Amino acid sequence: IMKRYVIIVAGGKGLRMGGDLPKQFIPMAGKPVLMHTVEKFWKWDNQINIILVLPIDHQAYWKMLCKEIGCKAPHRIVNGGETRFHSVQNGLNTIREEIEASGEKALIAVHDGVRPFVSPEVISASFTQAEETGAVVPALPMIDSLRMKQADGSSCPVDRSLYYAVHTPQVFTSDTLLNAYQQPYTDTFTDDASVVEAAGFQVAMVLSNRENIKITTPFDLTIARALFQE
């Protein structure tokens, strides 16, 4: 079996006194959101190599949470970068040497720290498909009707069956992802798939689970609390 890695990216604002607690640290069902996310991958495969990318000024707080609550999943902590791209790059630089030294291809997933509800089935499908095609994203068909804004300020309907919402974990073979992340950064990189495509690779899709939301707004927090209660 190919060795498996997951780089979990938890960015966000600094921990300021009186400021909002970054979403990944908000406690739900007895644990911070990020701990649920980390443990989700460990429960799926207790041999997976977990790399957690955290801003430097969040690390002491995270370690304290892990000690107090008892994070079951072993993981390595890597410093976050200026953007998500640079954070993923830092995560990859941590594992590049050991992957290259092994002489074997590995599979590397990149996942958002604030997506604790990804299902084990979606993780499995993403890894399985990536082993076959080299690059995969979990995605969902759009439910809403969509309109496209025109240059003159008007808008027109578009065929929603052509559009998908992209989630994580995005999974790649190590050679594909390590190669893609040697490109210089541009602000057209919105996720890992866009970086990989810019390097000339094709990306396949698997179906994501509807609950696999990214917790970013107060509304998302409300949905997350409801999902944890189920």
Side-chain angles (χ1 to χ4, degrees):
I1 309 175
M2 278 178 155
K3 198 169 177 184
R4 294 167 173 162
Y5 292 85
V6 60
I7 295 172
I8 296 175
V9 190
K13 304 279 181 285
L15 287 164
R16 296 179 313 283
M17 284 299 290
D20 288 341
L21 192 64
K23 302 288 187 297
Q24 65 258 27
F25 294 132
I26 291 175
M28 298 216 173
K31 288 176 190 173
V33 166
L34 182 56
M35 204 175 289
H36 286 286
T37 305
V38 169
E39 289 183 354
K40 179 66 67 92
F41 283 86
W42 175 77
K43 281 175 189 153
W44 174 72
D45 170 14
N46 63 14
Q47 296 303 302
I48 197 167
N49 293 273
I50 301 171
I51 315 296
L52 178 57
V53 187
L54 270 179
I56 293 173
D57 68 351
H58 290 189
Q59 292 176 12
Y61 184 63
W62 169 252
K63 284 173 185 163
M64 181 205 76
L65 290 172
C66 286
K67 212 153 122 183
E68 280 189 5
I69 297 162
C71 181
K72 297 184 184 74
H75 59 277
R76 283 179 261 179
I77 296 174
V78 174
N79 296 341
E82 202 177 316
T83 64
R84 188 181 187 283
F85 174 90
H86 296 101
S87 290
V88 173
Q89 207 170 42
N90 290 356
L92 287 172
N93 288 340
T94 305
I95 58 178
R96 185 185 294 273
E97 273 181 29
E98 67 192 64
I99 290 173
E100 286 171 355
S102 77
E104 288 177 25
K105 266 197 232 179
L107 290 169
I108 308 172
V110 184
H111 189 68
D112 298 320
V114 287
R115 286 190 195 267
F117 301 112
V118 60
S119 71
E121 293 77 16
V122 168
I123 300 174
S124 291
S126 301
F127 271 91
T128 303
Q129 181 71 33
E131 199 160 347
E132 287 173 31
T133 61
V136 67
V137 298
L140 278 181
M142 301 301 291
I143 297 176
D144 297 324
S145 293
L146 298 179
R147 296 183 71 82
M148 186 166 72
K149 198 171 171 187
Q150 310 282 35
D152 65 3
S154 67
S155 67
C156 64
V158 292
D159 179 359
R160 75 174 164 208
S161 72
L162 300 173
Y163 294 87
Y164 286 77
V166 175
H167 292 175
T168 67
Q170 302 186 358
V171 188
F172 309 89
T173 46
S174 50
D175 52 341
T176 303
L177 196 61
L178 290 166
N179 181 334
Y181 267 90
Q182 287 179 321
Q183 300 174 96
Y185 172 72
T186 84
D187 54 18
T188 56
F189 295 154
T190 55
D191 64 354
D192 308 285
S194 56
V195 179
V196 163
E197 275 165 330
F201 299 102
Q202 276 195 304
V203 178
M205 284 196 298
V206 295
L207 199 60
S208 188
N209 58 306
R210 188 65 62 188
E211 302 78 16
N212 186 14
I213 59 168
K214 188 176 183 183
I215 303 172
T216 44
T217 67
F219 180 64
D220 302 329
L221 285 170
T222 305
I223 293 172
R225 290 199 176 96
L227 288 170
F228 273 123
Q229 272 168 354
E230 274 181 12

